[in-house]
Amino acid sequence: MRHFLADDDLSPAEQAEVLDLAAWLKDNPYAKQLLAPGKTIAVIFDKTSLRTRFSFATAAAHLGGTAITVGSAETQMGKGESIEDTAKVLSRYAEAIVWRTFAHSNLEAMAAAADVPVINSLSDDLHPCQILADLQTIKEHFDDLTSIKAVYLGDGSNNMANSYMLGFATAGLDITIIAPKDFQPEQKFVDRAINRAAQTGARVEVTDDITAAAGAHVVITDTWVSMGQEQDGKDRNTPFRPYQVDANLMDKASADAIFLHCLPAYRGNEVAAEVIDGPQSVVFDEAENRLHAQKALMVWLLEHKAKAAQ
Ligand code: CP
Ligand code: NVA
């Protein structure tokens, strides 16, 4: 049985299947009634959410079922029930378990004990569902992903930067992480992405040089302060300020460049209002595509599980 904990859990061919299905489901939102009549998915949050919460619940409804969404503090995990027992119990009710948590190892423990697919809806390390939506959005603007150069500016040490490297390398896009030296990705994620890129022809680069954004087709940023880092006492404003995506930066990118941000955004910090609210921004298409991409992912995982059981 397959889980989706990391971007490179899907092979390049499998990721392409999910993205094709996502595009089809955008035009045919109710065509796959895999959760009818009235099956459920379990959706658990250890961190706050708008998009993930509503997009998974809406996707489950479109598939003919229901998402049961809880904060982990409302479950017995908040009082110390083990992840393994939680996984075994939820597997008796739900068709899939979706979890937003802190340590990535929590998800690995859940997947190891679950009898249903486990989906990572954000960990401290990775946010792979977001990358599927971002790739769907990029495909809506550019036919051939393998000819695209993407740049991500800002916090290169966070979950989004890691997932962009792994997910974009899987799709064959060139991805450059442009981040201050103290906020660059851990080498283990860079190595994993380069390994995947060797199969797809993608290029993976990490630099602190902002001029690397020149000619980019896709310009991306994310918050400077990820969930869980609010009280860590680090000064992020000083190192990240030169990496803000503003009109000047967009002028250096390709004339047909699009701007992506997973949201929530902090205008005046990682992105200037003139960019995120300007004509090159596709952030609300990107947010919408969470619904289609995650629905496609659930269909793909559930159909895969059903086939494997035959
Ligand atoms: N982009 C994203 O995951 O948004 P939420 O935190 O609102 O779910
Ligand atoms: N890097 C951000 C992404 C939010 C969707 C965070 O982890 O808070």
Side-chain angles (χ1 to χ4, degrees):
M1 191 184 51
R2 300 288 293 273
H3 304 286
F4 187 60
L5 307 188
D7 306 84
D8 53 352
D9 283 349
L10 293 176
S11 70
E14 291 169 344
Q15 185 198 61
E17 278 175 29
V18 172
L19 293 175
D20 285 348
L21 185 56
W24 184 80
L25 284 167
K26 192 165 183 171
D27 293 332
N28 303 276
Y30 312 107
K32 291 275 190 181
Q33 292 291 299
L34 253 76
L35 296 178
K39 294 179 184 173
T40 63
I41 60 168
V43 189
I44 310 170
F45 288 96
D46 300 357
K47 297 175 177 174
T48 51
S49 169
L50 173 75
R51 280 144 290 271
T52 305
R53 181 177 182 129
F54 283 89
S55 56
F56 268 107
T58 306
H62 286 193
L63 295 173
T66 302
I68 301 173
T69 304
V70 294
S72 59
E74 301 163 53
T75 73
Q76 304 294 12
M77 278 201 293
K79 286 168 49 181
E81 185 166 27
S82 73
I83 293 171
E84 289 76 10
D85 286 0
T86 304
K88 290 193 177 96
V89 171
L90 290 178
S91 297
R92 300 294 178 102
Y93 305 132
E95 306 305 309
I97 299 168
V98 180
W99 193 9
R100 168 168 289 192
T101 189
F102 291 90
H104 193 76
S105 56
N106 291 344
L107 283 155
E108 290 167 343
M110 183 75 86
D115 298 317
V116 295
V118 174
I119 296 172
N120 175 7
S121 59
L122 184 147
S123 68
D124 289 346
D125 286 356
L126 297 169
H127 193 4
C129 289
Q130 181 70 52
I131 270 47
L132 292 176
D134 286 29
L135 287 168
Q136 182 175 1
T137 309
I138 295 167
K139 277 168 71 90
E140 290 170 350
H141 291 268
F142 300 100
D143 291 335
D144 178 14
L145 288 184
T146 62
S147 65
I148 296 303
K149 172 181 168 169
V151 294
Y152 168 93
L153 294 100
D155 185 0
S157 63
N158 75 7
N159 42 18
M160 290 307 306
N162 292 334
S163 271
Y164 281 121
M165 290 193 298
L166 293 178
F168 281 20
T170 299
L173 277 80
D174 292 349
I175 172 72
T176 303
I177 304 296
I178 307 175
K181 282 204 160 63
D182 289 343
F183 293 92
Q184 293 189 344
E186 280 182 63
Q187 195 58 39
K188 67 179 181 183
F189 294 111
V190 180
D191 290 344
R192 246 165 89 175
I194 288 174
N195 190 36
R196 179 49 66 87
Q199 296 169 36
T200 63
R203 282 168 64 93
V204 179
E205 289 176 346
V206 179
T207 179
D208 63 348
D209 180 3
I210 293 158
T211 65
H217 305 99
V218 180
V219 179
I220 314 168
T221 189
D222 183 24
T223 181
W224 293 341
V225 185
S226 285
M227 290 179 277
Q229 298 176 334
E230 296 83 354
Q231 310 297 332
D232 71 3
K234 283 191 190 170
D235 171 23
R236 290 185 164 75
N237 195 53
T238 308
F240 286 138
R241 184 66 50 191
Y243 294 82
Q244 185 193 69
V245 177
D246 58 12
N248 187 41
L249 188 284
M250 292 302 290
D251 281 347
K252 308 277 189 306
S254 177
D256 60 353
I258 56 172
F259 171 74
L260 296 177
H261 189 312
C262 65
L263 305 178
Y266 301 91
R267 288 167 175 77
N269 283 348
E270 73 273 9
V271 61
E274 64 204 6
V275 173
I276 193 167
D277 299 322
Q280 290 170 288
S281 174
V282 292
V283 298
F284 298 114
D285 293 336
E286 180 186 5
E288 179 191 332
N289 286 339
R290 294 291 301 282
L291 166 64
H292 311 300
Q294 287 157 195
K295 198 193 297 178
L297 175 70
M298 287 195 284
V299 168
W300 191 91
L301 289 168
L302 293 176
E303 287 185 341
H304 200 278
K305 180 168 179 271
K307 270 187 220 144
Q310 279 168 9

